[in-house]
Amino acid sequence: MSDYKDYLTRQVMLGKMNRREFLGRAAALGIAASTANTLFATSAAAQEPKRGGHLKLGLEGAAATDSKDPAKALSQFMFVVGRNWGDTLVESHPTTGAPVPALAESWEPSADASTWTFAIRKGVKFHDGKELTIDDVIKTLQRHTDEKSESGALGVMKSIKEIKADGDKLVLTLTEGNADLPLLLSDYHLIIQPNGGLDNPDAMIGTGPYTVTSFEAGVRATFEKYADDWRTDRGYVDSVELIAMNDATARIAALSSGQVHFINRVDPKTVSLLKRAPTVEILNTAGRGHYVFIMHCNTAPFDNNDLRMALKLAMDRETMVQRILGGYGKIGNDFPINETYALFPEGIEQRTYDPDKAAFHYKKSGHSGPVLLRTSDVAFPGAVDAAVLYQASAKKAGIDIEVKREPGDGYWSNVWNTQPFCTSYWGGRPTQDQMYSTAYLSTADWNDTRFQRPDFDKLLLEARSELDEAKRKEMYRTMAMMVRDEGGLILPMFNDFVNAAGKQVKGYVHDIGNDMSNGYVATRVWLDS
Amino acid sequence: MAGQLMMESGPIAGPVPTDGAARNVDARSADISGMPAKSTPAVSAEIGGTFWRRFVFRRPLLALILKRLGLSVGLLFAVSLMIFGGVEALPGDFATTYLGQSATPQAVENIRQDLGLDRPWSERYLSWLGGAVTGDFGTSWASKQSVSEQIGNRLGNSLFLAFFAALVSVPLAVGLGMLAVQFRNRMPDKIINVISLAAISLPEFFIGYLLIMFFAVEWGVATFPATVYDSMDFGERLSAIALPVATLVLVVLAHMMRMTRAAILNVMSSAYIETAELKGLSTFRVIARHAAPNAVAPVINVIALNLAYLVVGVVVVEVVFVYPGMGQYMVDAVTVRDMPVVQACGLIFAAFYIFLNMAADILAILANPRLRHPR
């Protein structure tokens, strides 16, 4: 019950619930009206951000090899570092996922969505005092679209044909229409740097709410509030300190002893232990990341749709979510999209564990003998356990799965996208189009299920430039059904992002975009003494 | 880990740790018990010969050091080749590993060309070696920072931690070892043994977690995490490393303590100790003045190995306490196949082992001059 109370309180703090609604739900919980009123008042008061203080975060994912260049940011740690000092042209809305203005004030597509015009915000200053110009924006985008670039956003930027200025407006011309272009520009690599970062990509000078005061790769980064920040609704604390803590137990110890205010990547297995500490709050956010079992549709024996269907039906999703995610997640339906995406196709029947039906399809496929599943704990946390669980549930359907544990080192180059049946992880993408284009388009580099369907490809391209939302939603529904019923993807679960913070940390925004409030955690929270 | 295995085989298996040390003890006790031992000069003169032989004869210690130095350089080359080959043999190369799941063929190709990974490995090895010989370890492939500069920082941190761990553990271990001999087979000896054996039987990370749980989380008296950085003053640094130092002391204490105890006990059975006892000297005086100096060589050996371990073997402790030392640095680099860093770390680690072993041998010879002319 107290969980639900916390939830209500948070809804009020986020401004998502008014007093009447709050009182109604509180009454349903059996809380007296007077108590509920006080509760509402304190929650609402907590909405007023406090300024000042020194925020310390203990984060997993840093390495001595981290590069300061945002183009090469890969780790969780550098993701937050970049969000602190830099801004992108567009941001995504924390709860709807829709594009919202950042350094670009507004934008306008052409009728076929192949040319986009962006108005760039004026009067924004970089940390070195130089004013942001359209030239900086163009140079930044050019640096990331350069074929020789090592940018992590290269794949996203591939479809941009021309980048130019029209007076003080930015004009992007695409090779084909793309209704989602603004969201693509919210990619965390695409931080706008002075002169595009061409002079010194490692300078860590941007327009973000914090300036970098020290940085030691794999150890620690410190920040100070940037006095000339162009926004007032962020950057509440005076200074931020990120400490690299790659050991899960060390993070938990640091949080429960009060040495840090926030930690990421809490192991679902230890959440219940951590919850016992009275000063700690668990922050879990539904996300787009999903844990998957992938079969190559073009490789025997997985080139048989009956066998694929049998393997899908032999998956006990509920148990997976409970055992592997500790309940911090949602069950999946064998297509890589969940309700956190805009234009999510509702009403598709949930696939459930059905050993009889699985056995029927298995028999029909004509396959016999064991099916080899490769796995490793680097695929996702608990992947080996998940594979063994799957083995047990498939056994009841008469399917013999042989689990082979591969070394974690080199898993991504030797097993994933190479071997016909293995466990893997997808981080999700800002849009459905991007998710499908990345992994389900016939020609995609990362088509890890070898899903090759010309009708699917055609639909994907049509949907991309379709500006009518209703039509687009229908197209995405058809595509989801194709992947669900004929693809090589078994998707048992979407994982929550599980973080934890001390109770004095207020204003945490549960952003569906990505982990740690989409990386903005340090710029969005404040400290309550 | 290898270091630890080597150490364990010594003190636990019995009082005789290594060939060198065994020879040492024997020679010394033989000397006392009056066995003839004069032989080497005559042999050398008989053979007569080259400048080197004469040099060995006149300055045996210097010759030994020079020989060991030469050998060390050769060893370092071999080590560098092995490290290079090892990383080369690992599945996946830098480009694919660094980009991980987000590697597009284009990006991989760009990185490979940029770093010259398309060249044959022998060519890359030689050009790296050329730099390393002149003290230039190149730049890290991943972070594009100077490796020498980064290592300077990390090595400083590692040495800082190792120094204080040694400062506490070596005197403590030797002292406890002597105490254990004095109270041999009585209560204090047993207590010291049980506690130190218990500490060594627990994995380091477990000791670390226990210390964190009690001193940082429950009682809040110790600093955690142990992250150190440039702007920290000396006092803050000391307080930050208190818990990792305590962990390391518990981990290495037993080796050195038990070796001290065993070596002294070994000497205690000699005739001259009996003489000393018959003279009516106190037990403590017999141990401290007569037995301990003659047991120095094996103790030095085990101390040297433990010191090397304190510098190069503490990865787990660094991870648990979030301490930015060399171990963590090398592990990060291996994970992404950052060759320049892996190589540089490997060489420095090897150099530490080789140097400390050499120092131990030289000190053993200083303690027993008869070893200067090996038969």
Side-chain angles (χ1 to χ4, degrees):
Chain A
M1 188 186 95
S2 78
D3 277 356
Y4 189 64
K5 203 174 79 192
D6 286 349
Y7 168 78
L8 290 184
T9 314
R10 210 158 48 224
Q11 294 297 304
V12 173
M13 282 161 63
L14 292 172
K16 284 199 277 191
M17 197 178 279
N18 59 25
R19 185 171 168 277
R20 179 188 294 260
E21 199 181 343
F22 181 82
L23 292 185
R25 299 227 193 157
L29 270 180
I31 297 174
S34 57
T35 320
N37 261 323
T38 338
L39 243 178
F40 181 78
T42 44
S43 324
Q47 212 179 333
E48 193 59 45
K50 284 208 176 79
R51 292 194 180 266
H54 180 67
L55 178 72
K56 286 171 96 172
L57 298 91
L59 303 182
E60 186 258 8
T65 46
D66 282 338
S67 165
K68 295 190 215 173
D69 179 356
K72 288 188 259 175
L74 291 165
S75 65
Q76 293 280 310
F77 192 84
M78 295 312 290
F79 178 47
V80 177
V81 168
R83 294 294 203 207
N84 277 355
W85 65 261
D87 281 311
T88 48
L89 284 178
V90 180
E91 287 178 13
S92 66
H93 192 275
T95 48
T96 66
V100 290
L103 288 181
E105 264 178 333
S106 63
W107 46 84
E108 204 61 55
S110 63
D112 63 348
S114 68
T115 306
W116 288 78
T117 313
F118 292 81
I120 306 299
R121 196 174 294 275
K122 299 215 170 54
V124 177
K125 272 190 187 152
F126 284 112
H127 296 157
D128 60 359
K130 186 181 151 319
E131 193 164 323
L132 168 79
T133 64
I134 184 141
D135 198 45
D136 300 315
V137 175
I138 291 177
K139 291 268 175 58
T140 301
L141 295 183
Q142 275 171 346
R143 187 163 83 90
H144 290 270
T145 43
D146 183 357
E147 271 194 10
K148 288 205 179 64
S149 146
E150 291 167 19
S151 171
L154 193 60
V156 174
M157 304 297 284
K158 246 186 332 208
S159 64
I160 299 181
K161 195 165 64 182
E162 193 187 22
I163 303 162
K164 64 166 193 232
D166 177 14
D168 56 355
K169 296 260 168 79
L170 170 75
V171 180
L172 299 181
T173 315
L174 312 180
T175 49
E176 72 221 327
N178 190 343
D180 291 326
L181 180 78
L183 268 181
L184 300 189
L185 297 178
S186 70
D187 188 298
Y188 67 96
H189 297 101
L190 301 175
I191 293 174
I192 306 299
Q193 294 173 280
N195 198 28
L198 291 171
D199 313 325
N200 182 3
D202 295 343
M204 303 212 275
I205 287 176
T207 58
Y210 292 102
T211 55
V212 181
T213 45
S214 79
F215 177 83
E216 203 181 326
V219 182
R220 185 172 171 266
T222 55
F223 303 85
E224 236 163 51
K225 174 81 184 139
Y226 175 46
D228 281 342
D229 187 16
W230 57 277
R231 269 170 76 168
T232 54
D233 60 341
R234 64 174 185 182
Y236 300 113
V237 295
D238 289 338
S239 52
V240 179
E241 181 176 346
L242 308 183
I243 306 167
M245 292 192 186
N246 290 334
D247 185 65
T249 315
R251 288 197 296 281
I252 288 181
L255 180 67
S256 32
S257 65
Q259 305 276 358
V260 296
H261 299 111
F262 176 94
I263 56 170
N264 67 347
R265 294 273 166 101
V266 178
D267 187 340
K269 284 180 206 139
T270 54
V271 167
S272 57
L273 295 174
L274 190 56
K275 261 187 169 165
R276 285 192 214 151
T279 53
V280 168
E281 189 183 6
I282 305 292
L283 303 166
N284 60 304
T285 310
R288 294 168 179 162
H290 43 280
Y291 296 170
V292 295
F293 294 69
I294 46 181
M295 308 173 274
H296 283 183
C297 297
N298 64 356
T299 312
F302 309 103
D303 52 356
N304 180 324
N305 198 37
D306 276 306
L307 181 72
R308 294 204 295 269
M309 191 54 88
L311 288 169
K312 287 174 188 173
L313 288 163
M315 173 71 71
D316 186 348
R317 291 144 214 272
E318 301 280 351
T319 312
M320 284 279 174
V321 171
Q322 287 313 317
R323 292 271 180 280
I324 306 299
L325 298 178
Y328 287 92
K330 306 264 172 346
I331 55 173
N333 200 9
D334 294 340
F335 63 99
I337 304 298
N338 64 0
E339 65 288 344
T340 62
Y341 282 89
L343 306 180
F344 167 72
E346 290 117 356
I348 297 181
E349 191 199 345
Q350 174 63 48
R351 180 163 290 146
T352 50
Y353 177 47
D354 191 338
D356 297 336
K357 232 163 141 188
F360 166 78
H361 282 284
Y362 184 63
K363 205 174 245 173
K364 204 173 148 200
S365 76
H367 178 79
S368 63
V371 177
L372 181 63
L373 169 66
R374 289 164 208 267
T375 184
S376 165
D377 267 325
V378 299
F380 56 82
V384 176
D385 299 340
V388 173
L389 264 180
Y390 182 37
Q391 186 180 40
S393 71
K395 201 168 193 146
K396 287 193 191 133
I399 304 173
D400 181 14
I401 291 178
E402 186 190 329
V403 175
K404 184 170 180 209
R405 189 176 183 159
E406 297 275 355
D409 221 17
Y411 188 79
W412 298 116
S413 39
N414 297 336
V415 179
W416 174 74
N417 214 359
T418 310
Q419 297 294 344
F421 192 27
C422 70
T423 55
S424 178
Y425 169 73
W426 275 102
R429 290 295 183 271
T431 66
Q432 293 195 49
D433 174 71
Q434 227 189 323
M435 190 66 238
Y436 285 127
S437 314
T438 313
Y440 301 89
L441 191 68
S442 300
T443 53
D445 292 329
W446 298 339
N447 187 343
D448 58 9
T449 55
R450 304 287 185 272
F451 183 67
Q452 272 134 356
R453 296 253 319 227
D455 51 345
F456 179 89
D457 297 353
K458 190 162 160 276
L459 207 54
L460 180 61
L461 293 181
E462 273 171 27
R464 186 177 291 170
S465 53
E466 179 60 65
L467 289 168
D468 180 339
E469 290 208 345
K471 270 193 203 159
R472 215 167 161 214
K473 199 168 172 176
E474 193 46 46
M475 290 169 165
Y476 281 139
R477 189 192 162 82
T478 316
M479 281 153 58
M481 293 303 285
M482 286 180 183
V483 172
R484 177 180 181 269
D485 294 336
E486 280 143 63
L489 177 77
I490 306 174
L491 197 163
M493 52 195 160
F494 286 88
N495 60 304
D496 282 359
F497 303 121
V498 188
N499 300 311
K503 283 263 164 73
Q504 72 273 45
V505 175
K506 302 286 180 194
Y508 185 81
V509 180
H510 289 265
D511 193 317
I512 58 168
N514 210 329
D515 200 0
M516 295 176 285
S517 201
N518 203 4
Y520 294 110
V521 50
T523 74
R524 285 173 172 171
V525 300
W526 62 90
L527 291 172
D528 201 17
S529 41
Chain B
M1 231 53 266
Q4 194 160 11
L5 285 177
M6 284 162 69
M7 282 183 286
E8 270 166 9
S9 65
I12 289 164
V16 181
T18 63
D19 289 338
R23 205 169 53 212
N24 232 338
V25 175
D26 291 342
R28 188 64 168 183
S29 42
D31 191 23
I32 306 288
S33 57
M35 271 159 63
K38 229 179 183 178
S39 63
T40 29
V43 175
S44 295
E46 253 171 42
I47 298 163
T50 60
F51 169 75
W52 174 246
R53 278 181 205 282
R54 248 177 292 153
F55 183 73
V56 170
F57 180 63
R58 281 194 203 136
R59 301 214 180 282
L61 199 59
L62 196 60
L64 188 100
I65 294 174
L66 284 177
K67 229 160 87 184
R68 292 297 300 266
L69 274 179
L71 205 66
S72 306
V73 173
L75 259 173
L76 280 178
F77 272 111
V79 166
S80 76
L81 204 61
M82 277 165 66
I83 297 169
F84 198 96
V87 178
E88 220 32 54
L90 284 173
D93 68 350
F94 172 74
T96 50
T97 321
Y98 183 58
L99 292 170
Q101 204 196 5
S102 60
T104 59
Q106 180 69 50
V108 169
E109 198 45 43
N110 290 347
I111 290 187
R112 293 183 64 96
Q113 270 178 9
D114 200 31
L115 297 172
L117 280 176
D118 38 3
R119 291 184 300 157
W121 75 270
S122 53
E123 204 179 314
R124 281 182 285 126
Y125 172 71
L126 287 177
S127 75
W128 171 80
L129 200 61
V133 167
T134 58
D136 171 22
F137 287 115
T139 50
S140 153
W141 288 351
S143 67
K144 300 281 188 278
Q145 309 286 312
S146 154
V147 175
S148 315
E149 210 172 283
Q150 282 186 322
I151 284 187
N153 233 334
R154 295 283 186 137
L155 190 60
N157 289 344
S158 277
L159 291 178
F160 187 72
L161 185 62
F163 175 76
F164 282 96
L167 202 65
V168 178
S169 61
V170 173
L172 195 63
V174 173
L176 284 176
M178 286 165 71
L179 208 65
V181 173
Q182 183 162 12
F183 295 98
R184 178 168 20 144
N185 294 335
R186 280 154 55 196
M187 209 33 107
D189 180 27
K190 283 177 183 159
I191 292 174
I192 291 171
N193 263 304
V194 165
I195 292 180
S196 62
L197 276 182
I200 208 171
S201 310
L202 296 173
E204 304 137 279
F205 72 87
F206 190 68
I207 297 179
Y209 286 153
L210 283 180
L211 291 180
I212 293 171
M213 192 175 116
F214 288 110
F215 289 92
V217 179
E218 295 285 326
W219 304 328
V221 291
T223 312
F224 180 81
T227 315
V228 295
Y229 40 87
D230 290 344
S231 53
M232 251 183 173
D233 65 43
F234 188 70
E236 283 176 320
R237 263 173 204 265
L238 279 189
S239 116
I241 64 164
L243 286 186
V245 162
T247 310
L248 288 176
V249 167
L250 286 174
V251 169
V252 298
L253 193 64
H255 291 137
M256 295 189 283
M257 193 282 290
R258 287 177 69 81
M259 178 50 83
T260 309
R261 180 178 180 276
I264 295 178
L265 280 180
N266 194 34
V267 178
M268 291 291 275
S269 60
S270 315
Y272 76 95
I273 296 291
E274 208 174 324
T275 313
E277 276 165 355
L278 289 173
K279 277 199 297 186
L281 297 178
S282 71
T283 325
F284 179 77
R285 202 174 161 79
V286 171
I287 294 171
R289 292 295 305 264
H290 295 259
N294 294 308
V296 132
V299 176
I300 286 176
N301 260 304
V302 80
I303 288 178
L305 274 173
N306 275 292
L307 290 184
Y309 164 77
L310 285 178
V311 179
V312 312
V314 296
V315 180
V316 176
V317 172
E318 285 176 9
V319 171
V320 168
F321 287 98
V322 198
Y323 189 82
M326 283 290 277
Q328 182 65 57
Y329 184 54
M330 183 167 176
V331 169
D332 283 351
V334 171
T335 315
V336 298
R337 316 274 187 270
D338 193 344
M339 283 298 290
V341 178
V342 177
Q343 296 251 56
C345 290
L347 276 191
I348 287 171
F349 287 171
F352 257 98
Y353 259 101
I354 292 168
F355 171 77
L356 283 168
N357 266 314
M358 187 170 80
D361 281 1
I362 290 169
L363 283 175
I365 289 168
L366 284 179
N368 180 3
R370 310 189 70 227
L371 289 178
R372 284 173 210 179
H373 301 286
R375 277 154 289 179

